[in-house]
Amino acid sequence: MIHTDQQPEPYESQNEGAPDIQSHRDSTPDAAFAALLEDSAEELYEAAPCGYLSTLMDGTIAKINATLLDWLGLERDAVLGRMRFADLLTVGGKLYHETHFAPLLRMQGDISGIAMELRCANGDRMPVLVSSVVKYGESGEPLLIRTTLFDARDRRAYEEELLRGRKAAEEARRQAEADRARLQDALTVLQKSLLPDTLPTIPGVETAAHYHIASPDRLGGDFYDVFPLDGERFAFFLGDVCGKGPQAAAVTSLTRYTLRAAALHDADPASALATLNTVLHDRYTGSGDPRYCTAIFGILTPGASPGRLTIQLASGGHPPAVVLRADGTAAFLPTPGGLLVGVLPDAHFATAETVLTPGDTLLLYTDGLTEARTGADRTSLYGDEALLAFAADHAGKSTVDVIGALTDLLASFGDGLDDDTALLALGVPPLTAQP
Amino acid sequence: MLKITARDAATGPVLEVSGDLDYRNATHLRERATATVLRPGQRLILDLSGLEFCDSSGISALIAAHHHATTLGANIALAAVPAPTLRILRLIGLDTIIPLHPDSDPTALA
């Protein structure tokens, strides 16, 4: 307001056509300025927008302004010479005043911005920010303490709001973590329903399996199973559903139980895959979201003589099984031309047959293994040849050892293995291992 | 990145597919292919010479394109399939239902 008197209004000269407005604007600052000059120091003290307080060095209140009395709800006579500053505070504030505020003030001569609470006559508490300064005499002896108190109710409300916000955020985070844990539990249960808990015991046959989950949050699309067909034969399968997540898991579940049911009806491997093909094709064609899988389905038939195991299998678009022989060799059991399951209503599936003798193992795997990225820059694929060489290195070992070695191999891929991988090995124990 | 460019050849429409065909963008090819107008007897050619990567979602898109073409009485062929994808197509038997051509020049396919 003082400025407007000292500096001309920027549009004053342009506004000559509006003298009324101009004179009005000129008169207002003058009047306000005059009012300010008439404001006595006493009035300023009493009605200031903060509390004023002067005490003797022992805290006895010698002077207090009307604002503070109003906040406290006390009469001046009840305070002056009768109360100490600490008497105005809550119990906690009193304690803090005694142990920190007063000693620090005596030592430093001033203290500022300390948050305390006033205890009002009506029992309310009022948060304030307290600053004090000691007035010294000419010879340097402390004479009295001057204190100002600022209303911190709004500030306290703001802090409480912040605190409430933080509590709400923490609660939300806790809730989210609980939800996440519950979802994780559900995913684990679902994932487990896609795989057998344990492999059945098959007389004269050793089995082992491993499932590598690429991401605990994403249901995998790989599956395998081994189960009895009749008193003698067992069926097995292993496969990979295209895609990931809940939709893929639904296909995996459908696939697993379809193959199990199909095998009980007609155990011929190509027939089992044909049944699965029909189910997938009917279920997903025309859904706008066709789903396919690759799978190898096979049957184990114990031979007439012990230690001989005939394996008949069929493949629908699945990487070929590997046969590890007791003599330390390994070879693919080729199943070329078998079509991805679910693509066409009348699909062709490739079949193959082999006989395992003691020390031989049949290995089934999903392409997470052969498609794992290797090398320093993770650009080359592990590939079929490397798998075959690895298999040959472990040929003749027990299925548990073969799966163990492959599990270590998968672990060695680290980040290079970003897909789920299922491994299933079926073998005839080596003769040396027989009791 | 996946880039799909359409052009016309004497045999029918050609979609040039380049870049990565994976779960993030395979639906683009699926939508593009299944929206392609085909007359009976025409051949939809997917030119894969610029394809750098193809996962199972990409394979699903190729199958969707096959179904689209055969439903309309047309047919489909894949041209210039890169070796890694070719290996997968053979593994899953898709080469038995979709003709493959080594060349990406459509006039050579006629």
Side-chain angles (χ1 to χ4, degrees):
Chain A
M1 282 191 270
I2 294 167
H3 280 201
T4 52
D5 271 335
Q6 288 172 339
Q7 296 172 345
E9 291 286 341
Y11 51 83
E12 209 169 355
S13 57
Q14 300 165 0
N15 260 8
E16 285 165 359
D20 288 350
I21 297 173
Q22 198 173 329
S23 64
H24 175 71
R25 292 187 63 88
D26 283 346
S27 66
T28 306
D30 278 346
F33 190 46
L36 188 60
L37 288 177
E38 283 163 18
D39 200 2
S40 71
E42 189 58 27
E43 168 72 7
L44 206 59
Y45 177 82
E46 289 296 341
C50 64
Y52 279 121
L53 186 71
S54 299
T55 70
L56 305 179
M57 289 310 292
D58 69 355
T60 306
I61 298 170
K63 201 172 179 198
I64 185 167
N65 75 344
T67 303
L68 184 51
L69 284 171
D70 184 47
W71 287 349
L72 290 165
L74 293 174
E75 296 297 326
R76 193 178 302 267
D77 291 346
V79 177
L80 292 185
R82 292 170 184 265
M83 295 177 87
R84 297 172 188 228
F85 172 50
D87 296 332
L88 306 180
L89 304 174
T90 57
V91 176
K94 215 171 275 186
L95 198 66
Y96 186 79
H97 179 267
E98 202 167 303
T99 56
H100 291 82
F101 191 92
L104 209 58
L105 177 60
R106 271 198 296 276
M107 204 163 66
Q108 298 180 162
D110 64 67
I111 190 167
S112 70
I114 305 299
M116 295 210 256
E117 277 187 324
L118 293 179
R119 196 191 51 183
C120 304
N122 64 2
D124 285 354
R125 292 155 162 253
M126 176 175 167
V128 288
L129 291 177
V130 182
S131 297
S132 291
V133 60
V134 176
K135 177 184 162 66
Y136 298 93
E138 284 176 6
S139 54
E141 78 282 11
L143 289 181
L144 52 92
I145 300 166
R146 287 171 175 153
T147 300
T148 56
L149 301 91
F150 286 91
D151 183 352
R153 281 175 296 195
D154 285 351
R155 183 189 152 115
R156 177 63 60 88
Y158 173 65
E159 283 168 353
E160 279 172 356
E161 197 52 45
L162 280 183
L163 207 62
R164 201 163 27 243
R166 201 174 71 185
K167 276 183 183 159
E170 274 173 9
E171 182 53 38
R173 187 178 52 81
R174 250 197 308 278
Q175 187 63 43
E177 274 174 8
D179 287 349
R180 191 177 156 77
R182 219 170 17 248
L183 186 63
Q184 195 62 61
D185 287 348
L187 286 179
T188 305
V189 169
L190 278 177
Q191 181 80 64
K192 282 179 89 172
S193 80
L194 305 178
L195 299 170
D197 283 336
T198 53
L199 297 177
T201 304
I202 308 175
V205 179
E206 225 180 30
T207 57
H210 175 71
Y211 194 95
H212 168 85
I213 297 174
S215 161
D217 294 343
R218 267 163 132 196
L219 287 166
D222 290 4
F223 58 90
Y224 64 81
D225 206 354
V226 182
F227 54 99
L229 277 178
D230 43 41
E232 216 182 12
R233 300 178 306 164
F234 283 77
F236 61 89
F237 57 80
L238 177 142
D240 183 358
V241 165
C242 293
K244 280 196 164 46
Q247 294 88 347
V251 184
T252 307
S253 184
L254 176 65
T255 297
R256 180 176 180 210
Y257 294 105
T258 298
L259 281 178
R260 269 190 165 243
L264 295 178
H265 178 67
D266 181 354
D268 173 63
S271 301
L273 288 184
T275 301
L276 174 63
N277 184 69
T278 304
V279 168
L280 284 186
H281 189 263
D282 288 357
R283 167 66 183 79
Y284 289 102
T285 298
S287 70
D289 183 24
R291 295 282 169 175
Y292 317 111
C293 76
T294 69
I296 285 184
F297 180 99
I299 300 169
L300 300 174
T301 309
S305 57
R308 270 182 70 88
L309 193 64
T310 302
I311 291 180
Q312 294 163 293
L313 57 78
S315 169
H318 198 81
V322 177
V323 182
L324 292 71
R325 297 293 180 190
D327 65 3
T329 61
F332 285 115
L333 184 59
T335 41
L339 189 64
L340 194 60
V341 184
V343 175
L344 289 182
D346 49 349
H348 164 79
F349 300 108
T351 57
E353 185 171 326
T354 190
V355 173
L356 301 185
T357 54
D360 292 351
T361 292
L362 178 80
L363 171 67
L364 304 180
Y365 56 94
T366 55
D367 63 5
L369 172 56
T370 43
E371 302 285 310
R373 289 168 191 272
T374 58
D377 53 358
R378 303 275 184 224
T379 52
S380 23
L381 298 182
Y382 182 67
D384 294 344
E385 285 169 24
L387 171 61
L388 214 49
F390 188 90
D393 281 348
H394 294 84
K397 292 184 181 172
S398 73
T399 58
V400 174
D401 289 344
V402 170
I403 293 297
L406 284 165
T407 303
D408 292 344
L409 175 69
L410 292 179
S412 75
F413 291 146
D415 292 343
L417 182 62
D418 59 0
D419 198 3
D420 283 18
T421 307
L423 302 170
L424 175 63
L426 310 159
V428 180
L431 285 175
T432 50
Q434 301 275 32
Chain B
M1 265 305 285
L2 174 73
K3 192 169 167 241
I4 302 170
T5 314
R7 61 185 164 88
D8 277 313
T11 48
V14 179
L15 294 180
E16 290 173 3
V17 182
S18 62
D20 290 348
L21 195 52
D22 58 25
Y23 69 95
R24 283 180 299 246
N25 56 34
T27 48
H28 297 322
L29 175 61
R30 181 199 301 267
E31 285 163 6
R32 193 72 182 270
T34 53
T36 301
V37 177
L38 289 166
R39 288 192 304 277
Q42 271 194 321
R43 168 164 286 195
L44 170 62
I45 294 172
L46 301 184
D47 180 347
L48 306 183
S49 54
L51 189 67
E52 280 155 28
F53 177 79
C54 180
D55 73 358
S56 64
S57 311
I59 298 294
S60 296
L62 297 180
I63 293 169
H66 166 267
H67 289 351
H68 171 67
T70 50
T71 303
L72 295 177
N75 59 68
I76 186 171
L78 304 181
V81 184
T85 304
L86 189 60
R87 198 181 63 81
I88 295 171
L89 293 183
R90 291 205 168 119
L91 181 64
I92 63 176
L94 220 55
D95 61 330
T96 62
I97 60 169
I98 302 179
L100 308 178
H101 291 275
D103 209 325
S104 62
D105 178 9
T107 56
L109 305 177

